[in-house]
Amino acid sequence: MRPTEPSTAGAPAAQAAVRPPLPVKLVVAGGFGVGKTTAVGSISEIEPLTTEAAITEVAAGVDDLSHTPSKTTTTVAMDFGCLTIDPTLKLYLFGTPGQERFGFMWDDIVEGAVGGLVIVDTRRLDDCYAAVDYFEHKQIPFAVAVNAFDGKVEHDLDEVRWALDVADGVPLLVFDARERGSVRDALLVVLEQALHRAEN
């Protein structure tokens, strides 16, 4: 009597189940002190990589600290974190430095990204123009997330859209960079934008 050979009926499903998730790169951008590092740290399932440096007297003379007086460090290269959405999809998050003098690094950081989350502080809208312009110029799908500092925003979303001259097709939302669920929802909006762009 011949031994029974193992069944292979479920082999394709089993192989699919162990396939690693698809890596997707997203960028978290915005001006100085808007909450980029906080957002990446709030959502990352690993200890986030940060390149924080102390704010010196020289830097304090260049960067506007009036709305962030307790800020003692700043990102000088990038932030990095990751998040597994489900067994098929894993996000790799790259946060840009916010100061204009580090803008030369953006092209390298953004390369290969499917979309971006531009974080806005409504107390300092002027600091956000560069990030919005960058993603529009590069034609990279993005969403604008207004960070609710102290649980509130200074202007409503229609006013923010008008001030930043953001197209109607760009999602604009309020979120809290400290709240994991809030950051997740904002990133999912970016993913939807990227998927919509890919389908059209």
Side-chain angles (χ1 to χ4, degrees):
M1 184 174 184
R2 302 177 63 184
T4 303
E5 294 185 3
S7 172
T8 58
Q15 290 173 357
V18 298
R19 182 177 298 160
L22 178 70
V24 174
K25 180 178 181 180
L26 294 182
V27 173
V28 179
F32 170 75
V34 296
K36 300 181 297 296
T37 300
T38 300
V40 173
S42 296
I43 196 70
S44 180
E45 63 194 18
I46 63 169
E47 185 68 27
L49 167 68
T50 62
T51 54
E52 295 277 287
I55 296 176
T56 63
E57 290 185 12
V58 173
V62 176
D63 301 320
D64 181 8
L65 301 176
S66 59
H67 292 288
T68 54
S70 60
K71 187 172 177 62
T72 58
T73 62
T74 185
T75 300
V76 295
M78 68 174 187
D79 301 311
F80 173 78
C82 62
L83 171 67
T84 301
I85 297 294
D86 60 36
T88 67
L89 186 64
K90 186 166 186 174
L91 303 185
Y92 290 90
L93 308 173
F94 291 78
T96 64
Q99 299 94 322
E100 186 176 345
R101 62 184 181 278
F102 296 128
F104 67 92
M105 303 177 65
W106 278 47
D107 285 344
D108 290 333
I109 293 173
V110 172
E111 169 130 21
V114 301
L117 181 68
V118 176
I119 301 179
V120 169
D121 179 352
T122 55
R123 300 169 301 181
R124 296 178 292 130
L125 286 176
D126 287 353
D127 293 347
C128 305
Y129 294 138
V132 170
D133 289 346
Y134 183 90
F135 284 97
E136 287 179 340
H137 177 71
K138 294 289 185 179
Q139 298 186 333
I140 298 172
F142 71 100
V144 175
V146 176
N147 196 2
F149 286 90
D150 301 320
K152 62 182 181 180
V153 294
E154 295 293 320
H155 306 282
D156 66 35
L157 292 183
D158 287 338
E159 292 174 326
V160 173
R161 186 180 294 280
W162 178 85
L164 295 178
D165 194 23
V166 176
D168 290 340
V170 176
L172 191 61
L173 54 110
V174 175
F175 89 132
D176 188 331
R178 302 164 299 179
E179 298 278 342
R180 179 180 176 85
S182 187
V183 177
R184 177 204 60 214
D185 292 346
L187 293 173
L188 289 177
V189 170
V190 177
L191 277 177
E192 288 176 4
Q193 278 294 97
L195 182 61
H196 178 73
R197 176 76 63 87
E199 290 174 345
N200 293 306

